[in-house]
Amino acid sequence: AGVSKKKAGLMRTLLQSQLEIYERQVQNGQLSPSTYNGYAKIINGDRMKRWHELHASEVTPSMLRDWISEMDCTSKAIRNTLTPLHSVFEDALNDELIDFNPLDRIALTKLIRQTARASDYVVQPFTQAERQALLQACRSDEWPTIQWWLNTGLRPGELQAQEWTHVDLAKRIGKVVQNQVAGVIKTPKTAAGIRDIDLNEDALAALRAQQLISKGSPRIWLNPRSMKPWETDAQIRKTMWLPLMERAGIPYRNPYQLRHTFAS
């Protein structure tokens, strides 16, 4: 029995059990696939291998403190990394494999503040000249999407999920009522995300041009290569955005900068 308890308390085993819990939560609709993918990457990543061969009872607060201090990432990334670990220790505590949760004995907020590097994400809106360069570099089947994005400031997932029933050309209104994350349609990111957008002439022109491209499809914005709805942010970035940035000769920024450009 002692051997099986030792094996049961092995960190590698506990981490895999936690991943299986997350899998069940996805199936039950309690966890989004994109959040699951993030946790899976953390649990299966090199950083977590530090604990694999240790029994949960062998992990001390000072070991965790040193490990966290060596992380060269943002505070959000550090907290995300610790989330599955915290759950593992809580379950080990409930199963009497350990006497206390070692993470509870660390002044985490202070440690993270001292350790984390500032987020390297910079808001860099496109200048008027860059916007013109982008639009001019668009192929005819890409132009409506970029023109619409620049004039509505949608999040990438909101753009992917938008349907023809969400726009009223006569009233010049575009509704944002759903968001797509990792191929799954959800409500927008925040309650304030459900909103009406007043459409200017440029946005209306983009819609009229897109009507000819995506006729017959409930979704407005399609992948020009397949003429099917976009599935993920990464798909937009790789198949349309990256080549477009290169053709336009603009230093690379991610597509979310189109939203920042609209806001600014």
Side-chain angles (χ1 to χ4, degrees), residues 65 79 128 186 201 221 261:
R65 213 176 283 116
R79 288 189 184 281
Q128 184 62 34
K186 303 159 63 160
E201 280 306 325
W221 310 106
T261 302

Side-chain angles (χ1 to χ4, degrees), residues 26-197:
V26 172
Q27 286 156 10
N28 299 337
Q30 296 170 298
L31 193 71
S32 77
S34 58
T35 305
Y36 167 80
N37 290 339
Y39 286 149
K41 217 176 258 183
I42 289 164
I43 289 172
N44 295 325
D46 285 340
R47 190 172 270 143
M48 208 57 91
K49 284 179 184 164
R50 164 77 180 85
W51 310 112
H52 276 190
E53 304 313 319
L54 292 176
H55 187 275
S57 62
E58 296 173 310
V59 181
T60 65
S62 68
M63 287 159 75
L64 283 164
R65 213 176 283 116
D66 291 345
W67 182 68
I68 294 165
S69 299
E70 287 161 15
M71 287 189 199
D72 179 31
C73 36
T74 62
S75 59
K76 186 181 180 189
I78 295 173
R79 288 189 184 281
N80 287 348
T81 303
L82 295 176
T83 298
L85 211 50
H86 211 286
S87 298
V88 160
F89 288 131
E90 282 301 301
D91 287 347
L93 187 59
N94 291 335
D95 295 338
E96 299 183 349
L97 296 170
I98 56 177
D99 298 324
F100 62 91
N101 181 339
L103 278 171
D104 287 344
R105 301 199 175 179
I106 298 173
L108 265 182
T109 305
K110 184 181 172 193
L111 181 61
I112 290 174
R113 196 169 56 238
Q114 291 166 345
T115 301
R117 59 180 164 83
S119 170
D120 49 15
Y121 183 77
V122 182
V123 174
Q124 279 184 295
F126 293 101
T127 64
Q128 184 62 34
E130 285 174 329
R131 277 159 54 194
Q132 288 310 116
L134 263 179
L135 291 167
Q136 281 165 5
C138 284
R139 297 196 317 239
S140 59
D141 55 3
E142 297 168 336
W143 176 85
T145 305
I146 301 301
Q147 170 96 331
W148 174 259
W149 214 339
L150 278 166
N151 286 281
T152 56
L154 298 186
R155 295 183 176 92
E158 293 170 346
L159 179 102
Q160 292 161 45
Q162 210 156 38
E163 299 178 7
W164 285 108
T165 54
H166 304 159
V167 295
D168 189 328
L169 286 166
K171 290 183 180 168
R172 303 168 68 108
I173 285 174
K175 291 184 179 297
V176 178
V177 293
Q178 57 191 28
N179 189 32
Q180 178 166 284
V181 182
V184 180
I185 297 283
K186 303 159 63 160
T187 52
K189 189 173 175 183
T190 61
I194 298 174
R195 61 198 187 279
D196 286 354
I197 296 168

Side-chain angles (χ1 to χ4, degrees), residues 213-229:
I213 296 169
S214 63
K215 51 181 181 287
S217 167
R219 296 263 193 106
I220 302 177
W221 310 106
L222 307 180
N223 179 347
R225 292 190 181 187
S226 63
M227 294 313 290
K228 289 181 179 162

